[in-house]
Amino acid sequence: MNEETLASAALERLSELGLHGDVLAADQVEPAEAHRLDAVFRLTTGSGAARTYGVEIRARLTPESATSITLPARLPPLLVTTHVTEPVAERLRAQGIDYVDTAGNARLAWGDVLIDIRGRRNPVVPRSRTSPSGAGAFGRAGLRVVFVLLSWPEMAAQPYRVLAGASGVSLGTVKAVIDELGRAGYLYSGAKGRRMARGGELLDRWAEAYSITLHAALALGEFSVDDLSWWPASEAEMRSQGIQVGGEAGAGLIDPHLRPATLTLYAEQLPARFIARHRMARAEDRGNVHIRKRFWHVAEPDSWIVPSPLIYADLLASGDPRQREHGDRIRTSDDRLIRLGKS
C-alpha cells in the first residue's frame, strides 16, 4: 500500500470506531511541523471532543524500528501502518505514540477518550506491494554508501571506485546501491552526472535502518567518567589523534542551546592514550562515553565533529526521547540537514 491508500484505510478504521477524521492541508500547519509529517488528521468524537494529530505513515513496523520514530513535539503523534503487533504496540505506548493500523488495532488516548484495541490479525497484502522501494540499499554495507552520499551529496557524481574508497565497501556493493537508489528515485542523471533527489526522505530511511542494522555494530567500548566538562576544550587533542565527536555532544556543537549528558566519539580504533589521560573507566552496562568505529574515509579537515547526518541518526538511535528531540532541533538548524531536506 502507498501512503495515500494507508491513510484512507486508517480513516476508515477510525470511522468504524466512532471517530470522524479530516485530513488537514499543509498550509493549515506550521511550516516546521509540515516538513516532518506525512499527514495531519483532525479526529472528532460523537460528543464533539477533537484532537489534531501529526501523522507518520509506515508500510511496516518492527519493534526495533518503532523505537526510532520521532515526530515534532508541537502536535501529538499518530502512527499509521498495516499491522501493529503486541511488541510494537508496547514500544509505541511507552513513547506516548498513538496508533491505528489497517487491521483495526488502535490506541488513542486524550481527555476522556480512550480506545485500545489489540489482537486483530494482519490483513493479507502481497509481499511485492509492501516491499519498500530501494530496500536493497539499506543493508549494513549499503548504509555506508548511502551515508557518504547524504554527507557529501556532490559525491553522487563520482566514479564507483571513488565511492567504494570513501565508504570502505566493494565496487559491486557501490554499483548495487547506486542502481537501487536510482530505481527508487533518490538519484537521477543530470548534465553533470548523477545527482541526489528527495534527500530528506532518504535521510529518514537511512537513519531508521542505521539504528537497526549498523549502530550497535560500530561499538568499540563503553566508558564512564565522573565529569564531562573537559571535552569541549579538547579539540586540538582529538584532532591530533583522529577522534571526532558525534551523538548529542556533536549536536551540542551545532546548537549551543543543547546541553549534552553523554559523549560519543568516533575513531579508527580504541584511543588508549586518550582514554587513560581522561581517566575513563570501563562501564559494565552503558556509560556516559560511547566510543564507536569510524566507518567512512572522507577527510573533513575543518571539522572535529562527524557529519551531521550521523549525529542525527545517533540521536534517534539512542532511544532517549530527550535526544530524539535534539534530533528534531538540529534537523531545522544545521545547514547540511536543511539542504538535504530541500533536495
Side-chain angles (χ1 to χ4, degrees):
M1 292 187 185
N2 60 29
E3 289 186 359
E4 183 177 351
T5 303
L6 272 171
S8 297
L11 289 172
E12 289 180 13
R13 301 290 85 77
L14 292 167
S15 177
E16 294 167 2
L17 298 173
L19 295 171
H20 174 74
D22 294 306
V23 180
L24 302 187
D27 60 7
Q28 295 179 259
V29 184
E30 293 183 30
E33 286 287 308
H35 171 71
R36 295 291 315 283
L37 299 173
D38 294 322
V40 178
F41 288 176
R42 183 169 178 81
L43 304 183
T44 308
T45 68
S47 63
R51 184 176 235 199
T52 300
Y53 281 102
V55 179
E56 178 158 340
I57 299 173
R58 299 283 186 98
R60 288 184 292 179
L61 204 61
T62 65
E64 292 77 18
S65 61
T67 63
S68 69
I69 293 173
T70 176
L71 288 172
R74 296 180 186 88
L75 289 177
L78 178 68
L79 190 285
V80 170
T81 188
T82 52
H83 187 238
V84 174
T85 63
E86 185 56 32
V88 169
E90 289 179 3
R91 302 285 179 93
L92 295 175
R93 288 196 292 268
Q95 297 175 77
I97 297 176
D98 285 354
Y99 60 84
V100 59
D101 69 18
T102 56
N105 298 295
R107 194 269 187 184
L108 301 103
W110 82 86
D112 295 330
V113 176
L114 177 58
I115 296 172
D116 194 354
I117 300 172
R118 315 179 200 182
R120 293 189 177 180
R121 302 182 68 177
N122 189 14
V124 177
V125 179
R127 179 177 297 272
S128 61
R129 295 180 64 189
T130 62
S131 178
S133 181
F138 298 97
R140 186 173 294 184
L143 287 171
R144 298 171 181 241
V145 180
V146 178
F147 169 72
V148 168
L149 297 174
L150 288 170
S151 300
W152 301 277
E154 67 278 5
M155 293 280 286
Q158 292 294 323
Y160 290 165
R161 60 177 176 76
V162 175
L163 289 171
S167 53
V169 302
S170 69
L171 284 170
T173 295
V174 170
K175 182 181 186 308
V177 170
I178 295 298
D179 288 347
E180 284 274 354
L181 295 178
R183 285 192 292 267
Y186 295 119
L187 291 176
Y188 67 94
S189 295
K192 298 182 179 180
R194 289 184 300 269
R195 297 188 64 182
M196 182 182 294
R198 295 156 52 201
E201 178 184 328
L202 182 59
L203 174 61
D204 288 336
R205 290 191 63 182
W206 180 81
E208 177 182 337
Y210 168 85
S211 70
I212 299 168
T213 305
L214 189 56
H215 180 260
L218 299 174
L220 292 177
E222 292 284 324
F223 297 85
S224 292
V225 293
D226 294 331
D227 180 11
L228 277 176
S229 62
W230 51 266
W231 75 263
S234 300
E235 178 178 356
E237 182 185 10
M238 291 190 195
R239 284 180 181 272
S240 69
Q241 297 186 44
I243 302 169
Q244 287 182 285
V245 180
E248 64 172 339
L253 293 172
I254 294 172
D255 183 346
H257 294 96
L258 304 181
R259 299 298 178 88
T262 61
L263 176 62
T264 299
L265 303 175
Y266 281 85
E268 293 292 337
Q269 58 188 5
L270 269 180
R273 184 157 51 98
F274 187 84
I275 291 169
R277 169 174 164 73
H278 294 285
R279 299 180 180 180
M280 299 182 191
R282 280 277 186 181
E284 293 183 2
D285 188 11
R286 187 169 175 82
N288 58 356
V289 180
H290 320 305
I291 302 181
R292 297 197 175 113
K293 173 73 174 176
R294 178 186 162 105
F295 59 92
W296 63 100
H297 307 283
V298 181
E300 277 198 305
D302 295 330
S303 179
W304 67 305
I305 68 173
V306 303
S308 51
L310 180 56
I311 292 175
Y312 175 73
D314 274 341
L315 294 173
L316 268 59
S318 71
D320 180 351
R322 180 181 57 83
Q323 291 196 40
R324 288 198 294 269
E325 184 178 344
H326 291 349
D328 288 335
R329 289 192 59 161
I330 69 166
R331 187 72 180 262
T332 58
S333 63
D334 176 73
D335 289 343
R336 192 180 231 149
L337 298 182
I338 291 171
R339 286 196 299 269
L340 280 175
K342 293 179 178 179
S343 65

